[in-house]
Amino acid sequence: MEGMVRYMTSFWKERNVFITGCTGFLGSYMSKKLVELGANVTGLVRDTIPKSNLYVGDHYKKMNIVQGSLEDYDLIERALGEYEIDTVFHLAAQAIVGVANRNPMSTFKANILGTCNILECCRKSPLVKRVVIASSDKAYGDQITLPYDEDMPLKGTHPYDVSKSCTDLIAQSYFHTYKLPVCITRCGNLYGGGDLNFNRIIPQTIRSVINNKRPIIRSDGTFIRDYFYVEDASNAYLLLAEKLEAMNLAGEAFNFSNEIQLTVLDLVEKILIAMDSSLEPLVLNEGSNEIKHQYLSAKKAREILGWKPCYTIDEGLRKTIDWYKEFLKNS
């Protein structure tokens, strides 16, 4: 590993933390890590997902679970009050681009209205001291100049991108208008074990190779993206939350990235090599409503937070492949 985890384990001991999307991909890692660090974790769960990474091990048995949706304002207000929440991580979202294109209204309700509900409940809760909101590199939309930096305007055009631009801007408005202690994260495409969305390129490719089937690339394969390992993302969120108050970071947005850009073809080739496979990808060239090139500068996080990723792309992919081999063997 290139770096080292710098967050303070003592900071989280007995701290009351609320996580939306705790059964989701990133949320499961963060929930389990916070339980290990001694936090009192309360998670918001909409749907029961028995195969969620959250339920690998016994961490979930030490959590409080609130059953409900982001759209239920009264439920969120009750949860923050009854569990005396100090720190909020808002990770839940409808996060699949294809689903957003087919179902924009449900995506807008979850991602925009849901964020409004979280922020308003935090504003009205006197015990909440820090809020971290998950935006995305997609919030930047299509920019002429790359990499994205935090000073660029947010201008999503397609439904998912627009929902994340709105999420981001609404969070900023709650700082500027109400001085809510909120920070915003913008990450590249997260990957790692535990992502159950098999229409995403990394889990889809790994499963295809395990089943001895050609991996499918929906685009022409030349789209450039950031690929950011999920444990690095979890550590970045924790570090940012810890430093939010001490470094007066409220209202700030931070990009997190390993700052290595790959085409989809390059990424699939890395997976094939790591899995010792001679399969050739099937390139459909059907991608639409997606931005061709997206990648981030993490200079601000490096300079202000002293952050850097712990995992190289090859290390992250090896861990990811091992997780899916075990998961698919037992499914």
Side-chain angles (χ1 to χ4, degrees), residues 102 149 157 164 176-177 196 230 243 255 258 284 299:
R102 293 191 300 271
D149 67 51
T157 51
K164 299 312 284 186
H176 289 294
T177 306
L196 302 182
V230 65
K243 294 195 173 187
N255 293 341
N258 63 10
L284 300 180
K299 180 181 179 181

Side-chain angles (χ1 to χ4, degrees), residues 14-174:
E14 301 297 336
R15 194 173 293 275
N16 296 333
V17 180
F18 186 68
I19 300 182
T20 70
C22 65
T23 57
F25 178 30
L26 175 59
S28 67
Y29 277 88
M30 290 198 60
S31 298
K32 292 165 84 167
K33 175 56 67 174
L34 284 162
V35 167
E36 291 172 3
L37 295 173
N40 302 315
V41 182
T42 299
L44 179 68
V45 175
R46 186 190 66 179
D47 299 334
T48 300
I49 305 173
K51 291 186 178 181
S52 167
N53 184 51
L54 181 68
Y55 302 121
V56 177
D58 293 332
H59 299 79
Y60 71 95
K61 296 179 180 178
K62 300 176 182 177
M63 292 174 56
N64 307 312
I65 298 296
V66 175
Q67 200 82 37
S69 72
L70 291 170
E71 294 90 330
D72 190 339
Y73 176 89
D74 291 339
L75 178 88
I76 295 167
E77 186 175 51
R78 178 188 68 78
L80 296 186
E82 289 190 6
Y83 293 99
E84 300 184 313
I85 298 301
D86 167 272
T87 301
V88 173
F89 292 103
H90 176 40
L91 312 178
Q94 194 302 100
I96 307 301
V97 171
V99 173
N101 289 337
R102 293 191 300 271
N103 303 295
M105 286 303 296
S106 61
T107 298
F108 293 152
K109 285 179 182 178
N111 296 4
I112 301 174
L113 176 60
T115 299
C116 290
N117 286 343
I118 290 290
L119 290 165
E120 180 64 7
C121 289
C122 288
R123 180 178 78 88
K124 294 174 69 175
S125 177
L127 298 182
V128 171
K129 297 295 188 293
R130 60 194 58 77
V131 184
V132 179
I133 299 287
S135 181
S136 166
D137 60 348
K138 308 297 184 293
Y140 289 110
D142 202 354
Q143 303 274 354
I144 296 173
T145 303
L146 291 171
Y148 299 134
D149 67 51
E150 291 86 349
D151 293 327
M152 288 181 173
L154 305 180
K155 53 176 191 174
T157 51
H158 303 302
Y160 177 73
D161 307 347
V162 167
S163 77
K164 299 312 284 186
S165 296
C166 290
T167 290
D168 204 309
L169 288 167
I170 292 164
Q172 292 179 47
S173 77
Y174 265 77

Side-chain angles (χ1 to χ4, degrees), residues 11 41 47-48 62 84 89 103 129 139 152 156 171 185 190 194 216 220 222 229 249 260-261 288 293 301 309 318 323:
F11 181 89
V41 182
D47 299 334
T48 300
K62 300 176 182 177
E84 300 184 313
F89 292 103
N103 303 295
K129 297 295 188 293
M152 288 181 173
T185 63
L190 296 185
I216 293 173
D220 64 3
T222 63
Y229 184 57
L249 299 176
I260 297 173
Q261 299 83 43
S288 62
H293 299 324
R318 281 197 295 272
W323 190 96

Side-chain angles (χ1 to χ4, degrees), residues 134-254:
S135 181
S136 166
D137 60 348
K138 308 297 184 293
Y140 289 110
D142 202 354
Q143 303 274 354
I144 296 173
T145 303
L146 291 171
Y148 299 134
D149 67 51
E150 291 86 349
D151 293 327
M152 288 181 173
L154 305 180
K155 53 176 191 174
T157 51
H158 303 302
Y160 177 73
D161 307 347
V162 167
S163 77
K164 299 312 284 186
S165 296
C166 290
T167 290
D168 204 309
L169 288 167
I170 292 164
Q172 292 179 47
S173 77
Y174 265 77
F175 167 71
H176 289 294
T177 306
Y178 307 112
K179 300 305 176 187
L180 186 73
V182 59
C183 268
I184 300 155
T185 63
R186 300 170 186 159
C187 299
N189 290 4
L190 296 185
Y191 75 95
D195 184 358
L196 302 182
N197 291 308
F198 280 94
N199 59 349
R200 286 183 177 146
I201 188 65
I202 291 177
Q204 180 189 78
T205 299
I206 294 170
R207 183 172 67 175
S208 295
V209 173
I210 289 172
N211 293 330
N212 200 32
K213 294 180 180 179
R214 293 175 67 186
I216 293 173
I217 296 175
R218 292 189 301 272
S219 68
D220 64 3
T222 63
F223 285 24
I224 295 175
R225 292 288 185 270
D226 260 313
Y227 296 96
F228 187 42
Y229 184 57
V230 65
E231 292 185 64
D232 277 329
S234 176
N235 293 338
Y237 273 73
L238 293 176
L239 179 67
L240 179 58
E242 289 172 13
K243 294 195 173 187
L244 195 158
E245 187 175 24
M247 296 186 68
N248 195 28
L249 299 176
E252 297 285 341
F254 287 88

